[in-house]
């Protein structure tokens, strides 16, 4: 059931700007849950090319408006295929509860800006923090 609320996409062309945007993974915790994320982990998939180095972790209450929980630029933690990386979510990001969490690539990982370089090559995501459940 929870897997049905995990989406990934990319790359995509922004219809307003015409620019190619990075791929992303999004997790929906469901209509009655939210997470105050304190820490998260990601595992790079097994492909040799496409090391993600620049991305953002974002949160949302409604899946439309997003805020940045943590920004990475030049991060080499996922340099090796199949490796795990884990990071704390610093204030102020860790003080907000989110129904949706999204990891979005912010820099092309390919050679000469090729479109496939906008794919976010992950195999797993884990989020840690305080989970709240609201009675419906």
């Amino acid at each position: 059931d929870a897997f049905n609320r995990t989406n990934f996409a990319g790359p995509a062309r922004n219809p307003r700007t015409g620019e190619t945007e990075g791929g992303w993974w999004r997790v929906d915790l469901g209509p009655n849950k939210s997470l105050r994320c304190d820490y998260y982990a990601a595992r790079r998939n097994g492909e040799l090319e496409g090391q993600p180095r620049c991305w953002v972790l974002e949160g949302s209450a409604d899946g439309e408006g997003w805020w940045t929980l943590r920004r990475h630029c030049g991060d080499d933690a996922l340099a090796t295929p199949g490796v795990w990386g884990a990071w704390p979510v610093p204030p102020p990001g860790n003080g907000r509860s989110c129904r949706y969490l999204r990891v979005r690539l912010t820099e092309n990982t390919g050679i000469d800006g090729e479109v496939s370089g906008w794919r976010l090559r992950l195999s797993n995501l884990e989020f840690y923090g305080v989970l709240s459940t609201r009675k419906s």
Side-chain angles (χ1 to χ4, degrees):
D1 188 33
F3 185 75
N4 291 333
R5 292 190 301 264
T6 302
N7 307 101
F8 54 93
R13 187 162 306 281
N14 184 319
R16 290 187 316 256
T17 66
E19 297 288 319
T20 300
E21 294 183 341
W24 50 263
W25 281 45
R26 182 183 75 181
V27 176
D28 176 1
L29 300 175
N32 297 321
K33 293 186 177 153
S34 63
L35 179 72
R36 194 185 75 221
C37 187
D38 296 323
Y39 218 87
Y40 79 106
R43 184 177 186 193
R44 181 175 164 193
N45 74 4
E47 294 181 52
L48 295 177
E49 69 275 346
Q51 169 195 349
R53 297 185 71 233
C54 297
W55 70 91
V56 291
L57 170 65
E58 297 171 314
S60 175
D62 59 8
E64 298 292 325
W66 296 89
W67 58 83
T68 300
L69 299 174
R70 181 172 176 133
R71 181 175 301 278
H72 299 261
C73 194
D75 192 322
D76 287 325
L78 301 176
T80 306
V83 72
W84 280 93
W87 304 269
V89 176
N94 65 2
R96 298 182 75 175
S97 290
C98 315
R99 172 183 168 175
Y100 298 89
L101 294 147
R102 176 173 74 179
V103 175
R104 184 174 52 85
L105 198 60
T106 58
E107 182 178 279
N108 191 305
T109 63
I111 298 168
D112 297 326
E114 62 191 30
V115 173
S116 66
W118 284 110
R119 287 181 47 220
L120 182 55
R121 293 169 167 92
L122 299 178
S123 61
N124 297 80
L125 279 174
E126 295 181 0
F127 300 99
Y128 306 92
V130 178
L131 181 68
S132 299
T133 303
R134 192 179 72 235
K135 297 204 188 260
S136 49

